[in-house]
Amino acid sequence: MAGYLPEEARITGSARERALEAFSREYGRAAEVLARAPGRVNLIGEHTDYNDGFVLPVAIDRAVYIAAASRSDEQVELLALDFEERSRFPLSDITHDPEHPWSDYPRGMAWVLREKGLPLVGMRAVISGDVPIGAGLSSSAAIEVATAKALQVLSGFELGDVALALAAQEAENRFVGMQCGIMDQFISVLGRKGQALLVDCRSLEHRLVPIPEGCSVVVANTMKRRGLVDSEYNRRRSECEEGVRLLRRHLPDVQALRDVSLEDLEGFGDELPPGVRKRCRHVVTENARVLAGVEALQSGDAARFGELMLASHASLRDDYQVSCPELDVMVEAALGIEGLYGARMTGAGFGGCTVNLVRAARARAFAESLAAEYRNRLGIEPEIYVCSVEDGAQAERLRPT
Ligand code: GLA
């Protein structure tokens, strides 16, 4: 059988090869399209996106790959290689497959694209990847975005980057049922190599912010699977909404916590239930930290950025209350290690990963020391990823060799 090579050899990595090989094995022919969508880590700006605030994520060198080819009918056939599970559905009637919950992400994506009236063709696809699942690095957003990219190339419809990210968020909100903000899908589409992305989650204006020379992003997986995340996440969202509703009595122009200043909160905070006041204080101070963090990165001041990361962690732990003992230990363990600028939990919380900004020359040694320190303190073997910051999603049409 003829082998196939990508037209542009831009997409590399073994999860990519696995997807291509499995496609040939599974379907007895070569794939036509290869889509890649990265996971993400957020440097600062946590639980701000659904409050119309600011975030500063990066796309990382761990991604979901989808190898696909079109079908002449309207069936979608999926093989999730890493689970060795299959799921199949017709485009005209997309429902849930409770036995294969992973398939909600590609199903939801196809459902939203079809609702938008985009002409979709059926496809055969293999999904594979190296974004750790349930670790807070947005493997689900990556599956959604990779599915959209694969369908886009196979079906030949136009959809801009921001519209694609919004459609992927809609899949998560309306089909999967998780009320996430826009951050994860946005960075998976729009990330750029070596740069963080400042996103104004109200206007969706965005701007690249270079990571200073000599800095590395090190992600530390506590191995605590995120628990409680959906219910607690939705509860935090409603607490923020309650804060807005109560503050509006005095500040009628406030649409979201994004519009509230620290002075406003000091002035009227007494009228909020104590828990709601704490949630609001986190969001208000976190937005300010993102903007200060952007200035720090732009002036190459990694030490200042690191201080802001630590303050962000404390605020998430004490005010927003979405940390957990494992995340706190991982941050504390990093503090004494040479080369660290700053550390904090990243993502929704309740488990998953911390993000560390580290002097690049020390990154490997830092990772080893952090693993040993965490193991000593908790008796749990963590996974530490020294990440490179990569481009957002791509899809390439493959050609026969
Ligand atoms: C999850 C959500 C994001 C964001 C973060 C917290 O990753 O998907 O939209 O709200 O939590 O910052």
Side-chain angles (χ1 to χ4, degrees):
M1 192 177 51
Y4 280 67
L5 275 181
E7 214 147 41
E8 302 163 34
R10 286 176 309 171
I11 299 180
T12 54
S14 64
R16 168 192 191 278
E17 305 308 325
R18 280 206 312 277
L20 288 172
E21 277 163 26
F23 188 97
S24 307
R25 232 181 12 253
E26 179 79 1
Y27 302 116
R29 49 166 296 195
E32 290 165 18
V33 162
L34 183 74
R36 166 194 153 276
R40 66 97 186 91
V41 66
N42 189 17
L43 297 184
I44 199 160
E46 219 64 81
H47 290 279
T48 46
D49 61 352
Y50 53 83
N51 289 299
D52 278 2
F54 301 103
V55 294
L56 190 68
V58 298
I60 58 173
D61 55 340
R62 287 175 171 263
V64 166
Y65 295 84
I66 297 189
S70 56
R71 289 178 56 113
S72 53
D73 58 14
E74 54 149 32
Q75 294 290 315
V76 174
E77 265 181 279
L78 302 170
L79 164 61
L81 194 57
D82 306 315
F83 304 131
E84 288 200 38
E85 285 182 7
R86 292 168 180 77
S87 186
R88 181 182 176 128
F89 60 91
L91 286 167
S92 56
D93 182 23
I94 306 179
T95 54
H96 295 266
D97 174 359
E99 280 175 32
H100 303 112
W102 55 266
S103 79
D104 272 0
Y105 303 106
R107 283 167 183 263
M109 197 65 247
W111 180 77
V112 167
L113 294 174
R114 232 179 113 92
E115 265 217 335
K116 297 197 176 307
L118 296 166
L120 301 189
V121 298
M123 71 169 177
R124 302 187 160 92
V126 172
I127 307 173
S128 177
D130 55 12
V131 186
I133 294 167
L137 301 179
S138 294
S139 55
S140 52
I143 298 182
E144 290 151 5
V145 170
T147 303
K149 284 277 180 189
L151 282 170
Q152 186 176 24
V153 175
L154 290 173
S155 314
F157 58 81
E158 296 283 326
L159 194 63
D161 284 349
V162 171
L164 193 145
L166 284 167
Q169 181 199 14
E170 205 178 323
E172 185 101 20
N173 292 165
R174 293 181 55 210
F175 192 89
V176 179
M178 165 76 180
Q179 298 310 311
C180 65
I182 186 62
M183 171 169 69
D184 306 343
Q185 292 79 10
F186 206 88
I187 186 66
S188 186
V189 178
L190 284 126
R192 283 292 167 271
K193 197 171 177 58
Q195 319 240 22
L197 190 67
L198 170 66
V199 187
D200 176 336
C201 298
R202 168 171 281 164
S203 65
L204 297 185
E205 278 168 22
H206 48 283
R207 168 155 75 84
L208 293 169
V209 181
I211 310 276
E213 280 288 303
C215 286
S216 279
V217 175
V218 179
V219 173
N221 188 346
T222 62
M223 308 309 275
K224 168 124 193 325
R225 292 282 290 237
R226 292 170 313 159
L228 286 175
V229 71
D230 291 9
S231 57
E232 289 296 329
Y233 188 92
N234 291 342
R235 186 176 324 187
R236 295 297 180 284
R237 280 196 79 138
S238 26
E239 286 169 330
C240 292
E241 283 158 19
E242 191 186 343
V244 169
R245 201 166 42 75
L246 294 171
L247 287 168
R248 241 196 230 143
R249 292 194 204 145
H250 301 281
L251 304 162
D253 292 341
V254 164
Q255 300 297 317
L257 288 179
R258 149 74 173 274
D259 305 314
V260 176
S261 67
L262 203 51
E263 294 73 51
D264 293 336
L265 212 52
E266 275 157 13
F268 305 112
D270 283 354
E271 297 180 28
L272 305 177
V276 172
R277 186 165 69 226
K278 282 168 56 166
R279 309 297 185 246
C280 294
R281 187 167 59 200
H282 165 70
V283 175
V284 170
T285 57
E286 184 78 349
N287 275 328
R289 279 186 290 270
V290 177
L291 299 179
V294 167
E295 275 185 23
L297 287 187
Q298 272 165 346
S299 52
D301 192 347
R304 170 75 185 130
F305 192 85
E307 287 167 11
L308 293 162
M309 292 173 84
L310 290 170
S312 167
H313 184 77
S315 177
L316 287 157
R317 181 191 60 210
D318 302 336
D319 277 351
Y320 218 64
Q321 296 183 294
V322 290
S323 189
C324 64
E326 291 83 353
L327 286 167
D328 293 342
V329 166
M330 192 67 94
V331 168
E332 281 154 28
L335 290 179
I337 303 175
E338 199 195 325
L340 179 81
Y341 292 117
R344 54 181 288 277
M345 57 151 277
T346 185
F350 302 105
C353 294
T354 66
V355 54
N356 303 262
L357 191 69
V358 173
R359 196 144 40 81
R362 288 281 310 163
R364 294 275 158 206
F366 172 87
E368 270 171 40
S369 305
L370 182 58
E373 194 62 35
Y374 184 78
R375 195 186 310 121
N376 287 344
R377 292 189 191 203
L378 289 186
I380 300 169
E381 187 66 45
E383 284 181 6
I384 316 279
Y385 320 116
V386 177
C387 291
S388 61
V389 171
E390 294 298 331
D391 282 336
Q394 307 157 284
E396 45 188 299
R397 195 166 266 289
L398 309 172
R399 62 174 164 74
T401 50

